[in-house]
Amino acid sequence: IFFNIFFQLRIGFGMEKQFGRRKFCLMYLFCGFLGNLLSVVANPFKLAVGASTSGFGLLGVWAAEVLLTWELLGTSRSRLLMWFAFMLSSCVMMSTLSPSVDFMGHFGGALAGFLLAIILADMQEEHRPSWYGRAKASAKSTAAILILAGLLKAITLGPDGPVPFCGSLFSPRVLPF
């Protein structure tokens, strides 16, 4: 819990200031939604919920910002790569050391942040890389496919439905009492 709080405060305040409260809340909630959705799709019998998927989403947003502004970073690239490698390795280490930590949820949150940051990016025309338009279109398509396929699997095609032992949308399980 301490690591989640530290991580989200360390990165979250700066991003909220940079993007504004509304856009930051949209990114934070979307990362949590998609991260937890991918976690349910990967293992519907694992009970794992929490805000750490949103925290990893902030890391994904940061990765997208670095990718989009790579040419503008100049000499600070090496320092930024070291910091990013430290953050990524510590997050992966924390995710893999404990069996109760949901690695797929964390990965899904980071992927959601990466995709949404590219979708919401609003770079000035002169600073845009040549592949900017293609990246935005690919991010939109990938996010839509992940959401639709994830919801389809979680709601209709899950092993017992969206919640284990509760049935599915088309055949709800009757309670024994």
Side-chain angles (χ1 to χ4, degrees), residues 89-111:
S89 63
S90 62
C91 290
V92 169
M93 183 182 69
M94 294 297 284
S95 293
T96 56
L97 285 180
S98 175
S100 63
V101 174
D102 186 16
F103 182 76
M104 191 62 185
H106 289 170
F107 173 75
L111 180 62

Side-chain angles (χ1 to χ4, degrees), residues 19-174:
F19 293 113
R21 182 170 286 143
R22 292 183 104 152
K23 197 181 274 191
F24 176 78
C25 286
L26 174 70
M27 287 189 299
Y28 192 81
L29 292 173
F30 180 75
C31 293
F33 166 74
L34 190 58
N36 285 306
L37 177 64
L38 292 179
S39 173
V40 166
V41 167
N43 187 356
F45 293 109
K46 182 176 186 176
L47 181 60
V49 293
S52 61
T53 54
S54 296
F56 273 77
L58 300 180
L59 190 61
V61 169
W62 193 32
E65 284 184 331
V66 169
L67 179 68
L68 290 172
T69 60
W70 185 254
E71 295 300 321
L72 302 174
L73 293 174
T75 59
S76 63
R77 287 182 196 158
S78 60
R79 186 183 55 158
L80 187 63
L81 281 177
M82 292 247 315
W83 175 246
F84 191 73
F86 169 74
M87 291 298 285
L88 188 63
S89 63
S90 62
C91 290
V92 169
M93 183 182 69
M94 294 297 284
S95 293
T96 56
L97 285 180
S98 175
S100 63
V101 174
D102 186 16
F103 182 76
M104 191 62 185
H106 289 170
F107 173 75
L111 180 62
F114 184 81
L115 294 173
L116 194 61
I118 291 175
I119 292 168
L120 295 177
D122 189 25
M123 295 180 73
Q124 295 176 358
E125 186 75 34
E126 63 269 8
H127 297 304
R128 292 180 183 173
S130 59
W131 43 267
Y132 182 75
R134 290 188 310 266
K136 284 181 89 66
S138 296
K140 288 176 186 176
S141 300
T142 303
I145 289 168
L146 286 173
I147 291 169
L148 292 175
L151 287 174
L152 179 70
K153 180 168 184 328
I155 293 173
T156 61
L157 304 174
D160 271 341
V163 179
F165 310 112
C166 291
S168 68
L169 184 64
F170 300 118
S171 60
R173 188 167 289 178
V174 178

